[in-house]
Amino acid sequence: MIASVAGKVTAIAPDAAVIEVGGVGMLIHCAPGTLAQLRVGEEARLATSLVVREESLTLYGFATDDERAVFELLQTASGVGPKLALAMLAVHTPNALRVAVASADLKALTQVPGIGQKGAQRIVLELKDRLGTPEAAVDAALNGERRVAVWREQVHSGLVGLGYSGKDADEAIATVEPLADADLTAGRQPQVAALLKAALRSLSTR
């Protein structure tokens, strides 16, 4: 098994990247989120999973070991091959998949191209005890929701305190939400002061 690959990124395609290891360029299929973190000419390390078929050897790459573990576990469900497992990780994070399976959230699972209602039901039935303890994933999701609620409330209160209407405050918050989402995605607490300044700038240009 090839557990990981580290080297210089020499090419990036819509669904794969080439990483040079010891003078050999290795084609590694990745989800869009993983590819977005790579830069041609820079060093990178990917956790990998080698899928062996009679006619091919295909290497799949992931930003974290957890993504790789979930990718491999997903394929233990009937009808889930490597391409569909990768598609699931392209739509949902590992923790989001754990929460969806643990809570039988069929709507979330059917957001993945190639998974219908029956397929989602089968995945829930077969994987509910395999994807790890869902409590940790649920806690992580709840903590994320709390962080979102905190920055929203503080920025909203700040804008209203400065004399803006509730409607204006809501519209300004919508414009800075991508900045906060970027912090949350990176595991950082959104910086309320910076978000408030950005919200004020958006209101001043109206």
Side-chain angles (χ1 to χ4, degrees):
M1 175 182 177
I2 302 175
S4 66
V5 168
K8 182 178 291 186
V9 179
T10 59
I12 299 175
D15 61 350
V18 176
I19 295 181
E20 186 173 305
V21 181
V24 177
M26 306 191 74
L27 180 67
I28 306 171
H29 295 270
C30 307
T34 300
L35 292 171
Q37 299 177 42
L38 305 178
R39 298 291 183 273
V40 173
E42 295 184 2
E43 296 289 321
R45 177 197 176 277
L46 295 178
T48 56
S49 178
L50 180 63
V51 175
V52 180
R53 294 287 186 266
E54 185 175 342
E55 71 285 355
S56 66
L57 297 174
T58 307
L59 201 58
Y60 293 87
F62 309 91
T64 67
D65 292 339
D66 188 37
E67 286 183 1
R68 178 187 61 201
V70 171
F71 171 78
E72 294 174 347
L73 283 168
L74 290 172
Q75 293 175 73
T76 64
S78 303
V80 178
K83 290 184 179 180
L84 184 56
L86 192 65
M88 294 174 74
L89 285 166
V91 175
H92 298 296
T93 64
N95 270 348
L97 285 170
R98 290 188 179 104
V99 172
V101 170
S103 61
D105 187 350
L106 303 183
K107 183 178 179 180
L109 292 173
T110 55
Q111 290 175 358
V112 179
I115 297 181
Q117 191 77 5
K118 290 184 178 179
Q121 292 172 343
R122 184 174 61 250
I123 288 169
V124 168
L125 181 64
E126 297 184 13
L127 295 181
K128 62 181 179 181
D129 297 321
R130 299 185 193 174
L131 284 182
T133 305
E135 285 79 5
V138 171
D139 288 345
L142 289 175
N143 287 336
E145 290 175 2
R146 292 190 188 104
R147 289 197 295 270
V148 171
V150 167
W151 80 257
R152 282 179 176 277
E153 290 171 2
Q154 291 179 345
V155 172
H156 191 279
S157 296
L159 292 172
V160 171
L162 290 170
Y164 292 98
S165 68
K167 181 181 178 182
D168 285 341
D170 289 337
E171 291 177 354
I173 285 172
T175 66
V176 301
E177 191 167 11
L179 300 175
D181 287 345
D183 284 336
L184 291 169
T185 300
R188 299 188 298 265
Q189 178 73 24
Q191 299 300 305
V192 173
L195 292 171
L196 181 58
K197 288 180 180 178
L200 287 169
R201 283 197 299 271
S202 73
L203 287 168
S204 67
T205 59
R206 293 173 53 180

